[in-house]
């Protein structure tokens, strides 16, 4: 049995029973990375010797058996800080920069027995839906090398799909965990805003960003959340309160759950094949004993427009810190300080990041603030209200994760608007700060995965995961990208 193909829950059980060691798992993961990295280009940093060495010392000590994650490796999106490791955010502007500290989520993972593995590829500063905006070139979709793995956490999703990782971390500002999970046929979960500390996540849009796991099953996501969540003094937006055991009710099944389908929002359109896959699933869920009700989300169709004002406004402010003084790249060409700022940023940032800084600065400028930024905030509150109303009638809303299966590399990169529209179904969830999880629900005629996402009530990841787990069992998706 190849251990890199197993999920976290199974590996933890076997490790606890003394059947396998962290070194066994790390060795299989390293072998898969060596076999596949050249084709897929998942990692921006991967130190196999360090991974094996850490796994060996944990194995020798035997202590791993007393920790929840039992010495299993976790790959990390390269916009999350791992102490003393380079962090690029997929950008040239951070050339040469190393993280001076561990992100809180990394601290939590280590405390619970994880080994921190390689850093995965992403769109520059997590801005994009395909990893094509990475300054270091795109990652390829394990299901088809001509196709994008999705983005921005494309490296994290492709790594899990290609069994080069057991689990990985992504970040989701407008869909960046769920959409690549859907494109790669794996599970991607965005917790409630504030569930996981953002300390040590390089900020893109602070009111939307959230870290979450990419895994091979819903159960694995629950195990990851169990060790990732919690209030953090270093992040004022992290939420207080006890963290439940997210794995406790996983097997309670579909009965008693109500799923809401927002037919009015689905009218924004999607590929026929996506619609078919989604509609069949809705029918099955109902047949298997869940209640399915229609809900209405009249404002969700404005979410993309609203998001590109709010996210870019926040990005223009967050990215002001990359000016050649404190972080990474500084131009060689600096006759005065102003020219130094300008040239550093011109040389360091890619086109998409520049586009967003320009748009974000514009919508915040004196004459336009009311017309754009303030207006977008009002629309945001309407989207929040749509969900609140929907959740009065159902436990979770159900939507396709993306309007199409994976698109081809190069297909949308010249047309930003087209690229932005690939997030129609994920963005509203970030605006509302809600938990959402995408699971694989089948394959298209050309063997590309479909994903469906479930959106829960604020802080009710437990019920959400219970529903997603029940649907996962029903779908029983077992396909693999490699024959
Ligand atoms: N694709 C969206 C964007 O480009 C979302 C990105 C994300 O969630 N980080 O902004």
């Amino acid at each position: 049995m190849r251990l890199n193909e197993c999920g976290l829950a199974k590996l933890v059980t076997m490790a606890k029973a003394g059947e396998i060691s962290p070194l066994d798992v790390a060795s299989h993961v390293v072998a898969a990375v060596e076999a596949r990295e050249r084709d897929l280009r998942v990692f921006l940093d991967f130190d196999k010797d360090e991974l094996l060495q850490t796994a060996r010392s944990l194995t020798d000590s035997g202590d791993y058996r007393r920790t929840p994650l039992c010495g299993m490796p976790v790959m990390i999106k390269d916009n999350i800080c791992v102490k003393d490791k380079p962090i690029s955010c997929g950008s040239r502007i951070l050339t040469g920069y190393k993280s001076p500290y561990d992100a809180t989520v990394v601290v939590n993972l280590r405390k619970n027995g994880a080994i921190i593995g390689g850093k995965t590829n992403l769109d520059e500063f997590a801005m994009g839906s395909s990893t094509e905006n990475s300054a270091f070139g795109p990652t390829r979709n394990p299901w088809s090398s001509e196709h994008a793995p999705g983005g921005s956490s494309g490296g994290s999703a492709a790594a899990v799909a290609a069994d080069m990782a057991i689990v990985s971390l992504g970040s989701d500002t407008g869909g960046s965990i769920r959409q690549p999970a859907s494109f790669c046929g794996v599970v991607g979960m965005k917790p409630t805003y504030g569930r996981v500390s953002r300390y040590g996540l390089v900020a893109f849009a602070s009111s939307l960003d959230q870290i979450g796991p990419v895994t091979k099953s819903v159960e694995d996501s629950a195990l990851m959340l169990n060790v990732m969540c919690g209030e953090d003094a270093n992040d004022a937006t992290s939420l207080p309160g006890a963290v439940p055991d997210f794995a406790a009710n996983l097997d309670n099944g579909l009965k008693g759950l109500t799923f809401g389908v927002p037919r009015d929002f689905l009218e924004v359109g999607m590929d026929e094949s996506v619609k078919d896959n989604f509609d069949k699933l809705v029918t099955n869920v109902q047949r298997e004993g869940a209640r399915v009700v229609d809900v209405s989300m009249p404002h969700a169709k404005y979410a993309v427009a609203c998001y590109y004002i709010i996210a870019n406004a926040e990005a223009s402010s967050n990215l002001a810190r990359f000016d050649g003084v404190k972080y990474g790249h500084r131009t060689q060409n600096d006759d005065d300080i102003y020219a130094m700022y300008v040239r550093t940023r011109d040389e360091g940032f890619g086109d998409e990041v520049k586009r967003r800084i320009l748009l974000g600065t514009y919508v915040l400028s004196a004459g336009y603030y009311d017309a754009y930024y303030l207006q977008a905030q009002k629309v945001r509150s309407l989207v929040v209200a749509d969900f609140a109303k929907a959740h009065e009638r159902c436990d979770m809303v159900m939507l396709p994760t993306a309007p199409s299966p994976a698109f081809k590399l190069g297909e949308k990169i010249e047309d930003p608007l087209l690229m932005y529209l690939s997030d129609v179904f994920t963005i509203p969830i970030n605006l509302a700060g809600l938990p959402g999880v995408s699971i694989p629900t089948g394959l298209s005629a050309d063997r590309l995965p479909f994903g469906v996402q479930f959106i829960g009530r604020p802080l009710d990841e437990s019920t959400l995961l219970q529903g997603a787990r029940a649907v996962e069992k029903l779908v029983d998706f077992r396909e693999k990208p490699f024959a």
Side-chain angles (χ1 to χ4, degrees):
M1 179 174 35
R2 285 189 227 123
L3 299 177
N4 56 308
E5 292 173 10
C6 299
L8 181 67
K10 182 167 179 185
L11 292 173
V12 164
T13 307
M14 289 197 290
K16 283 212 153 89
E19 294 162 13
I20 57 162
S21 72
L23 184 58
D24 297 332
V25 177
S27 308
H28 286 210
V29 167
V30 165
V33 173
E34 288 190 323
R36 291 173 180 159
E37 174 60 17
R38 207 160 49 97
D39 293 334
L40 297 180
R41 304 166 67 97
V42 157
F43 289 102
L44 294 177
D45 185 68
F46 184 82
D47 186 338
K48 81 165 186 186
D49 296 328
E50 187 183 282
L51 177 55
L52 292 171
Q53 188 45 48
T54 314
R56 187 171 293 119
S57 38
L58 271 180
T59 300
D60 289 347
S61 80
D63 290 345
Y64 66 89
R65 287 168 72 177
R66 284 190 289 277
T67 60
L69 295 191
C70 273
M72 298 303 129
V74 179
M75 306 306 176
I76 311 284
K77 185 178 184 180
D78 200 24
N79 60 349
I80 298 173
C81 289
V82 177
K83 190 171 188 315
D84 298 330
K85 290 283 173 196
I87 178 164
S88 73
C89 296
S91 181
R92 297 207 185 282
I93 207 155
L94 280 166
T95 304
Y97 185 72
K98 288 191 174 155
S99 303
Y101 62 90
D102 273 339
T104 298
V105 70
V106 170
V107 172
N108 290 347
L109 285 170
R110 288 195 207 275
K111 247 193 323 220
N112 286 284
I115 300 180
I116 301 303
K119 305 293 296 282
T120 57
N121 197 17
L122 70 163
D123 289 291
E124 187 173 5
F125 287 101
M127 296 173 183
S129 309
S130 67
T131 73
E132 290 168 285
N133 294 331
S134 169
F136 309 103
T139 294
R140 294 180 181 271
N141 190 315
W143 293 84
S144 153
S145 59
E146 286 173 20
H147 286 80
S152 62
S153 314
S156 288
V160 173
D163 296 320
M164 297 154 77
I166 309 301
V167 289
S168 59
L169 293 190
S171 66
D172 192 313
T173 305
S176 275
I177 292 174
R178 292 160 288 149
Q179 183 257 23
S182 166
F183 279 18
C184 291
V186 293
V187 175
M189 161 108 201
K190 183 193 91 72
T192 306
Y193 180 79
R195 254 300 185 207
V196 179
S197 167
R198 291 181 295 109
Y199 182 68
L201 167 68
V202 177
F204 160 12
S206 311
S207 76
L208 300 158
D209 298 339
Q210 188 61 195
I211 298 173
V214 181
T215 61
K216 296 177 196 186
S217 71
V218 173
E219 184 183 11
D220 288 359
S221 283
L223 295 184
M224 287 294 285
L225 281 196
N226 277 352
V227 300
M228 291 166 63
C229 295
E231 189 180 9
D232 177 16
N234 286 323
D235 173 5
T237 63
S238 73
L239 295 168
V243 177
D245 176 3
F246 296 107
N249 303 323
L250 273 186
D251 287 315
N252 285 5
L254 279 178
K255 299 229 165 63
L257 291 179
T258 306
F259 294 76
V261 179
R263 292 281 166 206
D264 52 354
F265 181 33
L266 292 172
E267 277 164 21
V268 296
M270 65 193 93
D271 282 12
E272 207 49 47
S273 63
V274 172
K275 191 170 174 341
D276 268 7
N277 175 270
F278 179 78
D279 287 344
K280 284 204 184 100
L281 188 64
V282 173
T283 311
N284 273 342
V285 164
Q286 194 161 22
R287 188 186 309 132
E288 290 302 311
R291 269 186 72 212
V292 176
V293 297
D294 281 351
V295 292
S296 169
M297 307 217 5
H299 304 96
K301 59 176 178 281
Y302 305 115
V304 172
C306 167
Y307 168 89
Y308 277 94
I309 293 171
I310 293 173
N312 291 348
E314 294 183 22
S316 70
S317 160
N318 276 325
L319 270 59
R321 75 192 65 181
F322 302 107
D323 57 6
V325 176
K326 199 167 165 188
Y327 305 100
H329 175 72
R330 177 183 300 175
T331 185
Q332 298 292 311
N333 220 342
D334 54 349
D335 4 297
D336 63 65
I337 189 148
Y338 183 74
M340 192 280 280
Y341 293 153
V342 171
R343 289 197 192 116
T344 295
R345 288 166 70 81
D346 187 36
E347 292 165 10
F349 288 136
D351 288 349
E352 182 62 24
V353 172
K354 287 177 185 164
R355 179 178 298 121
R356 296 194 186 206
I357 293 173
L358 287 170
L359 285 167
T361 308
Y362 178 79
V363 300
L364 289 176
S365 61
Y368 296 98
Y369 183 91
D370 288 359
Y372 291 105
Y373 186 70
L374 217 54
Q375 204 65 15
Q377 293 292 10
K378 291 181 188 162
V379 173
R380 182 175 189 171
S381 60
L382 294 172
V383 174
V384 172
D386 276 2
F387 275 108
K389 216 159 150 211
H391 280 136
E392 282 171 13
R393 307 197 53 217
C394 66
D395 298 297
M396 60 201 81
V397 172
M398 206 174 152
L399 283 171
T401 309
S404 73
F407 45 82
K408 285 197 168 149
L409 291 165
E411 190 178 322
K412 302 197 181 195
I413 194 71
E414 303 300 333
D415 186 344
L417 203 55
L418 206 60
M419 188 72 90
Y420 297 170
L421 287 171
S422 68
D423 297 315
V424 267
F425 294 131
T426 48
I427 280 176
I429 290 80
N430 298 77
L431 290 176
L434 298 173
V437 59
S438 172
I439 66 166
T441 54
L443 289 184
S444 69
D446 35 9
R447 279 187 63 80
L448 292 167
F450 294 117
V452 166
Q453 71 178 320
F454 302 91
I455 301 118
R457 298 192 179 98
L459 289 174
D460 192 7
E461 285 87 355
S462 293
T463 309
L464 175 63
L465 290 168
Q466 178 199 331
R469 167 85 178 123
V471 179
E472 177 185 54
K473 271 192 177 158
L474 187 63
V475 174
D476 197 22
F477 181 81
R478 289 173 191 224
E479 305 280 347
K480 291 296 244 178
F482 313 109

